Amino acid sequence: MQTEMPTLTPQQILRRRKAGEPILPDEPEQVHRHTITVLLENTIGALIRVVNLFSARGFNLESVTVGETDDPTVSRMTIVTTGNDRIIGQVLRQLDRLIDTLHVEDLSGSSFVERELCLLKVSYTNETRAAIMDTAEIFRGKVVDITPNTMTFELTGPTSKIEAFIKLMKPHGILEVARSGRVAMRRSSGSWLTHEDPVLKLSAER
Amino acid sequence: MRTDTIPLVRAVRSALNAEDPSAKVTAEPVTGAEIFVRALEAEGVEVVFGHPGGAVIHIYDEIARLKPRFQHILVRHEQGGTHMAEGYAKATGRVGTVLVTSGPGATNTVTGIADAYMDSVPLVVFTGQVPTKLIGNDAFQETDTIGITRSITKHSFLVRDVRDLAWTIKAAYHIARTGRPGPVVVDLPKDVLLSRAPFTYPEEVHLRGYKLPGPPDPERIREAAEMIAASRRPLLYVGGGTINANAAELLTRLARKARIPVTTTLHGLGAFPEDDPLSLGMLGMHGTWYANQAVQHADLIIAVGARFDDRVTGRVDTWAPHAKVIHIDIDPACISKNVPADCAIVGDVRAVLEQLLPLVAPKDTKAWLAEIEQWRAECPLTYETHDGKLRAQYVIERIRAKTGGHAVVVSDVGQHQMWTAQYFRFLHPRTHITSGGLGTMGFALPAAIGAAFGLRGRSDWPIVCISGDGGFVMNAQELGVAAAHRLPIKVAVINNNFLGMVRQWQELFHEHRFSHTDLSDTNPDFVELAEAFHCVGLRATRPEEVDAVLEEAWKVNDRPVVIDFQVVKEEMVFPMVPAGASTSEMITKRLTPNAFV
Ligand SMILES: Cc1ncc(C[n+]2csc(CCOP(=O)(O)OP(=O)(O)O)c2C)c(N)n1
Ligand SMILES: [Mg+2]
């Protein structure tokens, strides 16, 4: 069935294209996954402000990780979100606007490394043990705990690898999965701290 | 991760410890309460709108002891206090200051803070807090003020160490005032106010995560000038950001030089004189037919300090369908939020217009202006004047005539607000104050009081509060403040004995089911109410009484006057774009003329 669409003016078509919104009746919306890295004050308040922004503004939040950096006053968040170009633009600008954020960067579009850590507990029997170990071997999974009938693996890698591993383990009876969510960094020689900022330097020295 | 909220202030402390001869300093350690008072003095605060309580009692003690240069105004309800601070800020362009106690004192400020956040009003709200050791223990009058206000503040601070207090106060004013202005909350635990530190007030603070827009990109400005030169049907769409940036005069020069018609948002009223033929008045839901027609036919929209609010655009994907968009705003997050900009200029509106003005040449827009004049003639703003009944529009027009537009008008929320916007025909920036973004009933009276404090000694224009009968009662207690300080404000209660705006929607969209909007049985006698608060109370019920009653009100200059204007309840605000409809689907008049109930 064809959905009815009003005739669009050239300006309206341009606008929709810019926003990544559909122009033709049956065209799907251009929604992309973006990995955004945020450097922020290493305080609970700063973390809440960032997370709160996503719920208050209705942005998607696929995964979020946070941890201290080499500077104990600064923590780093990796956020994975989805949306069309207009929404992603909003996410970035709204994040940047927060006073607790020091640096916001959309890694998607540039070349970057992205990793996830997964702990997976699976039950085994003498019959399934070898098959499980073989699969883990292929994925370079490490056994971190073993009991007479369960094994716990540690696995790092891109999300696709983690998901493939989980899928292959499923038939054996997964008992528990813990995933860290993604952490990411741009592939380049620079750092976010390359520009001279007296206050940043000050905090680094403290 | 620390629970601390202010590492960034800590980070600058050592940087600013360098002996600064101009810094305000005490050699001896003093209490946090004294630091607070001295810091506000050093900041140049003129007025604090506050209400005491246990958590801030030591601050009040220091106010009594030190007799600081700022004036403290005891408000009757903390919500009223926040709206007073907003009115003060909007009328003067300065930061408004509020001081309240913990728990209920803090929660009572929430509506005002949210209002200031939506309307970009610079406020610093100081809230008392239980001692740091008791935080999280459900102590008496404890609330998580920072948590409650997080999504309605530009930023907030919980001060945990008295040595951070002065810096935090400086930072709070800096954040509230600069960039896109907004409210900042500073939560002050009682023990911090009691412990001691030497007082040093910094001349400036540097916040490492606070990014202010730099100078505007000259390349973009050149591009905008070219788009203006190439356009045949340009339209300036002007918002409150223009007034915040003190750029109204530049905007007026730009419009007149290039002969570009101007429409403003509710908060943009006053940025461009409405007696100029280029003025199309307000646009949007209750904007003029001709302004909205101009939007729908324009080939270029120049948005200046405006944010494409849904009350302006209606259904956004059909708004201004033929127009390229130039968007000038200080807040990068505003740009392309609702309508993608073809040319985005991030920066201080004033700085942008200063650079744009010389690049824009006079244009020939005669044909476009003639087309607009046709729309104006087709559907001007009008109302019934021949049936001898009193209407709000007439009252507003007579107040306009009485003041010649040289007045500060503070309106509340509802039908009377829209009629004020439509019929007052504003001439000057900062003369129209209202709650736009949040639409807070009960805003007008306290905001008018705040404006009166702000303009004392600065302007002798009268301050006129135009309120509905519903909204007036929401903060009527603040009449006590106005009377105590003998503020000669004029309060016009547009009394239709109804929650009129809701009634209008019920008539138009809910088949005349006037569910819980009739106030005729519960309204007070507004004249008696005024007199109970030691104000003058007056009343007008027919059009021919209006001028006389205004005359009488204007004679009073030593206390507030409340005028009960008893107007017809059936009147509706037109034209109107129904919520969510396209701007071209405007209702220009009552659909069923005999629908009077
Ligand atoms: C605090 C608050 N509660 C409810 C509303 C919803 N509301 C918007 S206008 C309005 C009616 C206002 O009535 P009144 O003050 O008499 O003004 P009128 O529309 O009659 O001029 C209401 C209830 C609001 N804007 N603010
Ligand atoms: Mg009413």
Side-chain angles (χ1 to χ4, degrees):
Chain A
M1 206 187 80
Q2 233 176 336
T3 32
E4 190 103 24
M5 202 80 158
T7 25
L8 298 174
T9 66
Q11 259 315 308
Q12 287 176 316
I13 293 174
L14 276 176
R15 269 187 216 159
R16 290 195 181 196
R17 192 151 283 154
K18 252 191 202 150
E21 281 162 6
I23 293 161
L24 300 170
D26 302 327
E27 194 180 322
E29 208 172 335
Q30 296 288 309
V31 173
H32 298 291
R33 172 172 292 123
H34 286 248
T35 303
I36 295 167
T37 183
V38 183
L39 288 143
L40 64 159
E41 297 290 347
N42 189 21
T43 65
I44 296 176
L47 173 64
I48 300 174
R49 270 195 181 265
V50 170
V51 176
N52 195 50
L53 183 78
F54 280 77
S55 73
R57 301 234 171 229
F59 300 140
N60 292 324
L61 191 54
E62 279 203 357
S63 99
V64 52
T65 65
V66 61
E68 201 170 289
T69 61
D70 54 327
D71 176 346
T73 70
V74 177
S75 59
R76 183 183 190 115
M77 276 175 102
T78 308
I79 292 168
V80 182
T81 181
T82 56
N84 63 28
D85 293 351
R86 187 180 64 83
I87 291 170
I88 298 297
Q90 268 296 301
V91 170
L92 292 170
R93 283 192 286 250
Q94 293 287 354
L95 282 171
D96 201 42
R97 189 160 86 140
L98 295 178
I99 288 158
D100 282 332
T101 56
L102 311 181
H103 180 78
V104 177
E105 193 177 335
D106 183 6
L107 296 177
S108 311
S110 66
S111 159
F112 67 102
V113 196
E114 195 176 42
R115 289 291 177 270
E116 199 177 334
L117 167 70
C118 170
L119 295 173
L120 182 145
K121 191 187 287 172
V122 65
S123 55
Y124 71 90
T125 60
N126 282 343
E127 290 78 61
T128 60
R129 191 191 144 122
I132 290 175
M133 290 303 287
D134 280 355
T135 311
E137 179 80 359
I138 294 165
F139 282 84
R140 304 215 189 294
K142 221 167 76 186
V143 180
V144 289
D145 185 42
I146 188 155
T147 70
N149 45 16
T150 69
M151 269 191 275
T152 305
F153 290 99
E154 169 196 320
L155 188 76
T156 49
T159 298
S160 53
K161 177 176 154 184
I162 307 274
E163 277 166 3
F165 182 64
I166 293 172
K167 200 169 155 199
L168 288 176
M169 285 297 175
K170 214 159 215 159
H172 300 299
I174 296 175
L175 298 169
E176 250 186 286
V177 175
R179 293 170 64 170
S180 66
R182 282 165 264 197
V183 292
M185 197 174 276
R186 190 139 65 117
R187 288 184 205 268
S188 81
S189 55
S191 102
W192 64 281
L193 230 177
T194 39
H195 61 291
E196 272 297 308
D197 184 324
V199 179
L200 277 183
K201 250 179 56 200
L202 226 165
S203 81
E205 279 161 14
R206 258 186 331 142
Chain B
M1 195 168 286
R2 292 186 309 275
T3 53
D4 204 327
T5 63
I6 51 168
L8 29 77
V9 175
R10 232 180 250 276
V12 294
R13 188 168 57 201
S14 46
L16 291 157
N17 262 352
E19 281 307 305
D20 179 351
S22 56
K24 329 286 198 288
V25 190
T26 62
E28 294 301 310
V30 296
T31 64
E34 180 169 346
I35 290 176
F36 176 87
V37 172
R38 288 184 184 275
L40 261 54
E41 262 203 326
E43 185 58 40
V45 171
E46 299 173 331
V47 193
V48 175
F49 300 98
H51 201 286
V56 289
I57 196 164
H58 291 90
I59 290 179
Y60 278 87
D61 202 37
E62 290 302 331
I63 290 175
R65 193 175 67 87
L66 293 169
K67 301 195 173 51
R69 280 189 297 272
F70 61 79
Q71 188 182 7
H72 177 277
I73 306 297
L74 175 61
V75 304
R76 295 301 184 271
H77 184 294
E78 290 88 347
Q79 183 193 351
T82 51
H83 295 323
M84 284 181 207
E86 285 188 277
Y88 170 88
K90 289 200 191 201
T92 61
R94 299 169 58 90
V95 181
T97 305
V98 179
L99 169 63
V100 300
T101 192
S102 66
T107 55
N108 275 350
T109 64
V110 168
T111 304
I113 294 170
D115 193 271
Y117 185 65
M118 291 291 275
D119 283 349
S120 314
V121 185
L123 288 195
V124 177
V125 179
F126 295 100
T127 52
Q129 184 54 279
V130 300
T132 27
K133 278 206 193 67
L134 290 182
I135 290 179
N137 278 321
D138 301 327
F140 177 64
Q141 294 196 331
E142 178 188 357
T143 54
D144 176 12
T145 305
I146 298 291
I148 290 171
T149 58
R150 190 173 279 120
S151 54
I152 51 168
T153 47
K154 186 171 172 187
H155 200 59
S156 52
F157 297 100
L158 170 63
V159 184
R160 286 179 172 269
D161 184 332
V162 67
R163 290 170 301 171
D164 290 324
L165 182 55
W167 299 107
T168 308
I169 292 173
K170 183 78 199 177
Y173 279 92
H174 174 61
I175 292 170
R177 179 189 301 123
T178 51
R180 180 176 176 179
V184 177
V185 165
V186 182
D187 205 19
L188 304 168
K190 189 164 181 172
D191 55 325
V192 171
L193 297 174
L194 286 170
S195 37
R196 287 170 183 271
F199 169 66
T200 315
Y201 202 65
E203 287 300 298
E204 57 180 279
V205 285
H206 181 88
L207 304 156
R208 63 178 178 178
Y210 187 38
K211 308 134 204 112
L212 286 170
D217 182 351
E219 197 47 54
R220 291 282 88 73
I221 294 180
R222 221 167 300 132
E223 193 184 319
E226 279 163 21
M227 286 166 76
I228 293 172
S231 73
R232 302 179 55 195
R233 304 148 83 90
L235 178 67
L236 277 156
Y237 150 45
V238 175
T242 310
I243 294 171
N244 280 348
N246 296 319
E249 203 215 309
L250 274 167
L251 180 276
T252 305
R253 275 163 58 196
L254 176 72
R256 286 179 178 162
K257 181 177 179 190
R259 310 275 320 140
I260 301 175
V262 181
T263 179
T264 73
T265 67
L266 182 63
H267 282 319
L269 290 170
F272 186 76
E274 289 192 80
D275 58 358
D276 190 302
L278 289 171
S279 168
L280 308 185
M282 185 171 74
L283 81 169
M285 180 177 272
H286 288 299
T288 61
W289 163 256
Y290 33 100
N292 284 323
Q293 283 295 99
V295 167
Q296 293 310 83
H297 291 86
D299 69 355
L300 178 68
I301 301 261
I302 310 153
V304 187
R307 62 185 176 90
F308 298 82
D309 176 79
D310 59 278
R311 284 293 185 262
V312 161
T313 62
R315 218 184 112 180
V316 70
D317 59 349
T318 59
W319 191 76
H322 307 288
K324 289 203 164 78
V325 172
I326 299 172
H327 194 172
I328 303 168
D329 203 280
I330 195 159
D331 181 5
C334 258
I335 299 210
S336 299
K337 184 169 74 179
N338 300 331
V339 176
D342 299 281
C343 172
I345 310 176
V346 178
D348 176 51
V349 170
R350 194 188 164 90
V352 174
L353 293 186
E354 259 163 15
Q355 292 178 38
L356 183 61
L357 189 59
L359 302 183
V360 172
K363 281 180 70 69
D364 176 9
T365 51
K366 274 200 206 81
W368 171 226
L369 293 175
E371 211 172 333
I372 291 173
E373 281 322 302
Q374 261 178 16
W375 290 318
R376 204 195 291 263
E378 210 171 279
C379 185
L381 282 175
T382 54
Y383 60 94
E384 171 64 58
T385 48
H386 299 299
D387 62 0
K389 292 181 180 166
L390 184 57
R391 285 184 169 74
Q393 298 95 313
Y394 180 73
V395 173
I396 289 157
E397 283 190 333
R398 294 320 296 162
I399 296 174
R400 172 64 164 77
K402 177 91 195 147
T403 59
H406 305 311
V408 176
V409 175
V410 187
S411 65
D412 209 68
V413 174
Q415 290 184 310
H416 65 281
Q417 176 190 36
M418 292 298 117
W419 285 318
T420 304
Q422 291 177 337
Y423 288 91
F424 193 82
R425 295 160 47 80
F426 290 91
L427 298 178
H428 308 284
R430 298 193 188 282
T431 58
H432 174 247
I433 296 173
T434 197
S435 164
L438 198 68
T440 308
M441 282 170 71
F443 169 88
L445 175 66
I449 293 170
F453 282 115
L455 295 176
R456 241 181 351 185
R458 289 200 169 97
S459 155
D460 52 12
W461 286 1
I463 290 161
V464 184
C465 167
I466 300 179
S467 181
D469 49 320
F472 181 73
V473 180
M474 284 202 181
N475 270 319
Q477 75 284 348
E478 305 303 337
L479 275 181
V481 176
H485 293 274
R486 303 198 158 274
L487 302 177
I489 58 171
K490 319 293 175 210
V491 183
V493 178
I494 304 297
N495 181 3
N496 50 10
N497 275 311
F498 252 96
L499 297 170
M501 187 55 95
V502 182
R503 184 196 178 284
Q504 171 163 349
W505 286 44
Q506 289 171 334
E507 175 172 336
L508 289 173
F509 313 117
H510 298 273
E511 291 155 351
H512 296 237
R513 280 185 298 278
F514 299 122
S515 176
H516 295 272
T517 45
D518 188 343
L519 302 176
S520 44
D521 294 336
T522 51
N523 262 341
D525 180 319
F526 289 101
V527 173
E528 285 178 13
L529 178 74
E531 282 164 1
F533 277 104
H534 313 294
C535 304
V536 175
L538 301 171
R539 176 168 291 135
T541 54
R542 286 180 324 192
E544 52 275 22
E545 294 167 6
V546 172
D547 282 353
V549 93
L550 289 177
E551 191 62 39
E552 208 178 328
W554 255 250
K555 277 192 207 132
V556 179
N557 53 25
D558 62 347
R559 79 198 103 141
V561 182
V562 178
I563 314 166
D564 178 21
F565 287 105
Q566 299 198 337
V567 299
V568 293
K569 64 174 187 289
E570 299 87 357
E571 193 63 18
M572 294 209 274
V573 185
F574 289 117
M576 175 182 198
V577 180
S582 163
T583 300
S584 32
E585 300 164 46
M586 201 160 196
I587 309 173
T588 54
K589 53 180 179 295
R590 193 183 285 264
L591 297 174
T592 42
N594 299 324
F596 279 56
V597 187

